[in-house]
Amino acid sequence: MNVEPCEDAASAAAGAVSLSVDERMKIALLFVKPGKIGGLARSREKSEVWTCFGELCYRDPDQPGDASVVSLDASRHYCLVCLENVKSQPELLRDVNQLQSYSTATSTATLAEHLHTKHSIQICKNATDDMRGKKREMLTTSLMAMPSSLLPITGNKDLNEDFLLWLALDMDPLSTVKNNGLNYFFSKNFPYLSIPDESTLWRNHAMKVYHRLVSSVKSELASVASIGLMFHGWTNKNTGTYYIGLRAQFIQDDWTGKVVMLSIKPCTKDVSSIIDHLKNEVICFIPDYANKVLYATHDGTDAMIRASEVLHVKSWNCGIEPALHHLLTEDSLGRVSNLVSLLCKCKSIFRTLYDELDTLEEYEQNSCDQKVSPEFIESIINMKKLFDAEICYVTNEGYFYNAEADSCNMLAEYRSVKCKEFIGDQCSKRTDSWSEKDILVNWISSLEMINGLLSFQSEVIFALQLVGKIKPCLQPHEWILVEELSKFLGTFLALNELVSTQTTSLSLIPLIRAEIADSCKVNCNDCTELTEVKNLVLKNLNKRFPVTSSTRLATLLDPATKGLCNSSTEETIELLYNAATEASNSSSLIDPFNLIVTVKTVDDVDLDSKNSESETCEPISKKMKLVQKHSGACVTWTTPHCNQREEIRKYIKYTDDKFEDDPLAFWKKGQFPILAELAKSILSQSASSAQAEHIFSTAEMHLSAKRSCLPSYRATCLSFIRDNYKINFTSRREHKIKQEPKV
C-alpha cells in the first residue's frame, strides 16, 4: 500500500508557550496579529491563511496607544482561532498550552490543513497549491479523524507486507486485490492508500517475506541442540499430487516449547523419493543436523521409518493419532463382523435419506409438526460430505495398508481393495460414494455417523417411514449397540483431542495407555460385540503404544506423570543416570556433573510461584485430570546443592501440591539444573504427528478445485508464511502485551 508521507499538524507544532503566572491570569489580553512573519515567497503572501495566523502579542492595559502592544513570540505562527477558543472557556479552565503554533518554514498547505481539520474552515487556495496538497489533505483529514490507537505506525513497505499477511492468514488468493468489494471499501474509507496489484504482492513482497522467515527459522533451529521432527504424507484429491508436510518442535532457552513449519512440497510416492525429499528438506533448514540430537514422529510407514534411519534420529515413534486409528479399526472394530455389518447399515440409512432428500425438504416446508427439522436435513447433507471426504481418506492412506492384518479382518480386506483402486489411478474420482459395500474406514467418521443417528433417532425412523423404505432401519437391539459403541468411542475421541495441542511429549503415552485400559474393562452389562472389541483393544495395546526407553524417560522427566512409571527406584535412578551421562558426553559443554551448582530451594520456588499465581482458579486441563486419576502420591523433598545421583534421587522423591500441566514450566524454575538439560532434549520429541497433518488443512485451501492453477511453490510459500509469521511479525496488540510489565 503506497502511502505518501505528510507532515502531521500535531507533529509540526512547537512546544507549549511559556508564560508567567501573571500573564496566564491575563490570558484574555492575548491576541494574534494576523499576517506574515519575516520574508515569504510571493505566492505565500497572497494566501488567505494569513487572516488566521500571525504573531502572538499581549496588550498591556497600563500603556497607552500603540505602546500597549507587546510582542511575545515573533519566531512562530500562532492560530487566531485556537486563541479565541481558549478565551471562550471559563477563566479557571483556560490553558495557553492549547494554542497551536508552527515554525516560519511551515507551508501554507499545512496551515490550511490545520484550519480545515481543527476548525472546519475551508481556505480557498490557488490551483497549484490545491494540486500539491490534495492528497496530503485527504491523508491528514482521515488520520485526524481516527483514534490515536488506530493510527498507522508502519511505513509503505510494512503496509504492503501486512496486506500480504492479511491474505495469507485468511488463506485468500492474491487475486483478492482485484475484488470490487475490497477496492470499494478502501477507496471510500482509506482513499490515500493504494492497493498493490497481484504481481507486485508476489514479486516484491511475498518472496521477501518468505526468505526472511526461512532465515529466522534456520537461526532458531541452529540455536538449539535437540529437535523433534514431525512428518506426514497427504494426497491432493483434486490433482492426485502427493505432498509431504514437515514440522519441527524444539525447546528454547527460556523453556518455551515451539513448533515451526519447515515445508510442504510435492513428492513422488515411492520410498526412495520420500527419503531423499525429507533428507534434502532437513539439510536445507538444519545444515548441521548430524551435530544435533534429532527425534522423529510420523505415521509408522516403511518409508518414514527408513527416512528416520537415514537422518540418524536418536529415536522415532508412531504418532498417537495413527496409533489410535490402527488400534480401533484394523485391530478391533474391523475384526468384529457384527459391528462391520452395523456400520454398513448405518451408512445405508443416510444413503437412503439423502436419495429422498427432496421429499424430506418438501415435507419440512409444508408441515408444522416438526417431525422433520431443518437441523435433521442439514445433518444428512453433512453426512454426505463426510462420506465423500472418507473416499479421499482412503486415497491418502492407501499405501499405508497394514499387511499384518489377516483375512478375518473385513475392514482390512475392504481397505486393501480400495487401495488397489486408488493407487492405479489416483486422479480418478468416484461418481458413486454411496455403494452398499462402502463402510467408513476412519473411526472418527464412524463415531460422527452413529452420533448423528442417535441425535435424530425419532426423526430417522419417521423419515424412513415417510419415504416408504423402513427396511434399512435399525432394530431395537441395534440401537442399543450403537449407543454403547458411541460411549466407548467417545473416550478415544477425548484422547485424540488431548494430543492436538501445540506441543506434546511422550509423557502422554502412559496416560493414554492407562485411560484405554480403564475404558476397556469389561462389565456384565456389555454386549457380546463390545466385549470382543474391548478384548481386542487390550490385546493390541502394547503393539500400538509400546513403552520404549524414550517414553519412560519422558514420563520420568514430566513431574506430573513420573508416578506412572512402573519401575523400582534403583532402576529409575540408573535409567536417568545413564541417559544424563550420555547427554553430557555428547555435549561440547563442560561436564555439569563435576560442578558444584547453586540452585533454588523448594521454599524459594514455592515463594516465586505464589507471587506469580493468579488469584482466580483456572480450570483443570484434560491431561491433569488423567494424571490425578492414574497416578499416586510421593514424599516432598527440598533441593540443596547436589551432585549427579543425589539430584536424581531427590527429583524422584520430589512432589508438589500442584504440578504444572506443562512440564517445561517446572524445569524453568531451575530446581534440578543437572537433569534440566536432559529434560530439554527428551521433551523435544513430540508424541503427536497432528501438527504435521495440520499443514494439509492450509494446503487444501490453497490447492482447492477453484485454485487448481496455483503453482505448488506458491502454495508452499503462502502456507509457510501463514504458519511462521509470528516469528518476525506481531500485531500492535501483541506488541503492547509483550511490553506491559507483569504484575
Side-chain angles (χ1 to χ4, degrees):
M1 299 178 183
N2 301 319
V3 182
E4 184 177 345
C6 76
E7 181 182 8
D8 189 359
S11 63
V17 179
S18 177
L19 296 176
S20 66
V21 177
D22 293 337
E23 289 171 329
R24 211 175 267 276
M25 296 297 295
K26 299 176 181 179
I27 196 170
L29 301 176
L30 293 176
F31 70 98
V32 172
K33 184 179 180 181
K36 63 185 179 66
I37 300 176
L40 293 174
R42 180 171 298 178
S43 61
R44 296 185 62 196
E45 291 179 344
K46 299 178 181 180
S47 176
E48 294 183 11
V49 166
W50 303 117
T51 60
C52 299
F53 279 87
E55 178 183 358
L56 182 65
C57 300
Y58 174 74
R59 191 179 302 279
D60 189 352
D62 299 330
Q63 298 294 330
D66 295 337
S68 63
V69 177
V70 180
S71 176
L72 292 179
D73 190 355
S75 63
R76 300 185 65 80
H77 292 129
Y78 286 83
C79 178
L80 183 150
V81 183
C82 286
L83 178 59
E84 294 301 322
N85 289 339
V86 172
K87 289 182 178 181
S88 65
Q89 297 177 0
E91 184 174 342
L92 294 178
L93 299 179
R94 293 174 184 172
D95 186 4
V96 76
N97 291 315
Q98 297 178 9
L99 288 179
Q100 191 79 50
S101 67
Y102 297 85
S103 69
T104 55
T106 304
S107 66
T108 55
T110 302
L111 301 180
E113 287 174 4
H114 167 79
L115 294 174
H116 178 65
T117 57
K118 292 291 187 181
H119 310 300
S120 301
I121 298 176
Q122 185 69 43
I123 299 297
C124 296
K125 300 175 286 184
N126 56 46
T128 304
D129 287 340
D130 185 74
M131 292 180 64
R132 183 171 52 241
K134 184 176 180 181
K135 194 170 184 178
R136 185 179 300 174
E137 181 178 359
M138 293 171 63
L139 173 63
T140 304
T141 303
S142 299
L143 294 182
M144 295 298 291
M146 286 183 176
S148 60
S149 60
L150 298 179
L151 293 176
I153 58 175
T154 55
N156 176 36
K157 178 183 175 183
D158 292 335
L159 284 171
N160 283 308
E161 290 182 351
D162 288 343
F163 192 80
L164 170 71
L165 287 176
W166 176 4
L167 299 180
L169 293 177
D170 289 345
M171 292 180 286
D172 292 328
L174 298 185
S175 59
T176 302
V177 297
K178 302 177 184 178
N179 291 356
N180 294 331
L182 184 72
N183 283 275
Y184 166 78
F185 176 81
F186 276 95
S187 63
K188 179 180 179 181
N189 297 282
F190 306 96
Y192 51 87
L193 298 180
S194 177
I195 300 177
D197 56 59
E198 182 179 356
S199 61
T200 301
L201 270 180
W202 176 256
R203 184 177 61 254
N204 296 346
H205 303 290
M207 295 309 298
K208 290 182 180 179
V209 171
Y210 172 73
H211 290 302
R212 193 192 318 165
L213 289 173
V214 167
S215 299
S216 299
V217 170
K218 288 181 179 179
S219 177
E220 291 196 346
L221 293 174
S223 65
V224 296
S226 303
I227 302 171
L229 300 175
M230 296 170 280
F231 36 90
H232 209 282
W234 170 73
T235 301
N236 182 8
K237 65 180 180 181
N238 298 309
T239 63
T241 306
Y242 181 69
Y243 289 82
I244 292 182
L246 177 63
R247 283 185 188 262
Q249 174 176 298
F250 55 92
I251 301 173
Q252 297 175 304
D253 292 337
D254 61 352
W255 285 98
T256 301
K258 193 166 188 178
V259 176
V260 294
M261 171 186 169
L262 301 188
S263 71
I264 173 172
K265 294 181 179 179
C267 176
T268 308
K269 202 171 183 180
D270 61 84
V271 175
S272 59
S273 298
I274 292 174
I275 293 173
D276 293 339
H277 173 86
L278 287 171
K279 184 176 181 180
N280 291 335
E281 291 301 313
V282 170
I283 292 175
C284 175
F285 285 92
I286 318 172
D288 60 338
Y289 77 91
N291 299 324
K292 304 281 188 182
V293 179
L294 297 183
Y295 302 95
T297 304
H298 43 70
D299 50 24
T301 60
D302 182 60
M304 303 304 183
I305 294 174
R306 290 175 61 181
S308 302
E309 295 172 351
V310 171
L311 292 172
H312 303 291
V313 300
K314 186 173 182 180
S315 68
W316 66 268
N317 68 286
C318 181
I320 290 176
E321 299 89 340
L324 282 174
H325 167 73
H326 291 305
L327 183 65
L328 290 174
T329 54
E330 297 174 0
D331 297 338
S332 54
L333 294 177
R335 294 178 180 270
V336 181
S337 58
N338 288 345
L339 284 181
V340 173
S341 300
L342 179 63
L343 294 176
C344 288
K345 194 171 183 179
C346 291
K347 184 171 183 181
S348 177
I349 291 175
F350 277 109
R351 176 181 60 81
T352 302
L353 295 176
Y354 186 82
D355 291 341
E356 302 293 338
L357 194 59
D358 293 339
T359 304
L360 297 178
E361 288 179 340
E362 182 180 358
Y363 182 86
E364 186 269 329
Q365 294 173 1
N366 300 328
S367 176
C368 300
D369 56 11
Q370 296 296 319
K371 292 185 178 180
V372 178
S373 64
E375 293 78 12
F376 175 56
I377 293 177
E378 184 179 358
S379 70
I380 297 173
I381 298 174
N382 291 336
M383 282 298 114
K384 173 65 166 62
K385 296 178 181 178
L386 179 68
F387 299 153
D388 289 343
E390 195 69 18
I391 298 302
C392 174
Y393 180 85
V394 177
T395 307
N396 294 337
E397 301 291 329
Y399 82 103
F400 299 151
Y401 169 64
N402 185 1
E404 296 177 359
D406 57 28
S407 58
C408 70
N409 190 339
M410 298 176 62
L411 184 55
E413 290 179 359
Y414 168 78
R415 292 190 64 190
S416 178
V417 172
K418 293 302 175 186
C419 294
K420 293 176 182 178
E421 287 181 18
F422 283 94
I423 292 176
D425 182 12
Q426 293 184 23
C427 295
S428 63
K429 295 183 179 180
R430 292 192 52 197
T431 58
D432 180 20
S433 61
W434 298 88
S435 170
E436 290 285 356
K437 297 181 180 179
D438 280 354
I439 57 175
L440 296 174
V441 296
N442 187 345
W443 67 273
I444 297 180
S445 300
S446 299
L447 179 59
E448 290 184 25
M449 179 179 66
I450 61 180
N451 283 340
L453 284 176
L454 292 172
S455 300
F456 300 98
Q457 181 175 349
S458 59
E459 294 185 59
V460 167
I461 297 174
F462 175 79
L464 292 174
Q465 293 174 346
L466 180 66
V467 299
K469 296 183 179 180
I470 196 64
K471 181 179 178 181
C473 188
L474 299 181
Q475 300 301 316
H477 70 279
E478 291 176 324
W479 282 110
I480 296 174
L481 178 56
V482 166
E483 186 175 359
E484 291 185 5
L485 184 60
S486 174
K487 293 179 181 179
F488 175 72
L489 293 179
T491 302
F492 294 87
L493 184 62
L495 296 178
N496 201 67
E497 295 172 352
L498 176 67
V499 297
S500 298
T501 55
Q502 180 74 1
T503 56
T504 59
S505 68
L506 296 184
S507 62
L508 291 175
I509 291 181
L511 281 176
I512 291 175
R513 285 174 54 92
E515 185 66 9
I516 291 176
D518 186 65
S519 63
C520 289
K521 292 179 180 178
V522 180
N523 59 66
C524 57
N525 297 323
D526 289 339
C527 61
T528 305
E529 293 82 1
L530 188 59
T531 300
E532 188 175 354
V533 168
K534 288 183 176 181
N535 291 332
L536 288 171
V537 168
L538 292 176
K539 178 181 177 181
N540 294 277
L541 184 59
N542 290 330
K543 180 177 72 174
R544 299 304 181 186
F545 292 95
V547 182
T548 63
S549 59
S550 297
T551 303
R552 292 180 63 196
L553 283 172
T555 305
L556 289 171
L557 292 171
D558 185 344
T561 62
K562 64 181 180 179
L564 298 174
C565 194
N566 298 322
S567 58
S568 64
T569 302
E570 293 304 320
E571 290 176 344
T572 302
I573 293 174
E574 200 63 28
L575 178 63
L576 289 174
Y577 175 81
N578 293 334
T581 303
E582 181 183 355
S584 67
N585 291 338
S586 62
S587 174
S588 59
L589 303 175
I590 300 175
D591 185 357
F593 297 146
N594 296 327
L595 300 177
I596 300 298
V597 184
T598 303
V599 297
K600 293 182 179 181
T601 64
V602 173
D603 294 335
D604 294 336
V605 174
D606 288 344
L607 181 61
D608 293 342
S609 61
K610 287 179 181 179
N611 293 334
S612 61
E613 279 184 356
S614 173
E615 293 183 1
T616 59
C617 182
E618 298 182 356
I620 188 170
S621 67
K622 293 180 180 179
K623 172 186 172 181
M624 296 311 295
K625 287 180 180 178
L626 294 179
V627 168
Q628 292 179 358
K629 181 178 180 181
H630 299 290
S631 64
C634 302
V635 183
T636 303
W637 275 68
T638 58
T639 319
H641 305 308
C642 52
N643 57 22
Q644 180 186 5
R645 288 185 180 274
E646 211 173 322
E647 180 174 302
I648 293 174
R649 285 182 179 276
K650 298 193 175 190
Y651 167 72
I652 293 173
K653 295 182 179 181
Y654 172 79
T655 189
D656 196 353
D657 294 337
K658 183 180 179 182
F659 278 123
E660 301 284 352
D661 181 26
D662 182 7
L664 303 185
F666 169 81
W667 292 106
K668 184 178 181 179
K669 298 176 182 178
Q671 294 173 268
F672 303 96
I674 296 177
L675 287 175
E677 291 304 315
L678 175 63
K680 184 176 288 188
S681 175
I682 296 297
L683 297 178
S684 297
Q685 184 173 7
S686 175
S688 167
S689 59
Q691 290 298 322
E693 296 179 40
H694 290 170
I695 304 177
F696 306 138
S697 300
T698 304
E700 190 171 10
M701 294 291 292
H702 289 308
L703 299 169
S704 62
K706 294 182 179 180
R707 301 164 66 180
S708 57
C709 295
L710 182 70
S712 59
Y713 68 88
R714 280 202 178 191
T716 297
C717 175
L718 295 174
S719 298
F720 188 91
I721 292 173
R722 183 180 185 274
D723 275 49
N724 298 324
Y725 80 97
K726 287 189 177 181
I727 298 177
N728 286 51
F729 299 90
T730 55
S731 66
R732 186 183 302 191
R733 179 180 297 177
E734 292 171 336
H735 181 74
K736 183 178 180 181
I737 292 175
K738 291 182 179 180
Q739 297 297 324
E740 289 180 351
K742 293 183 179 180
V743 181

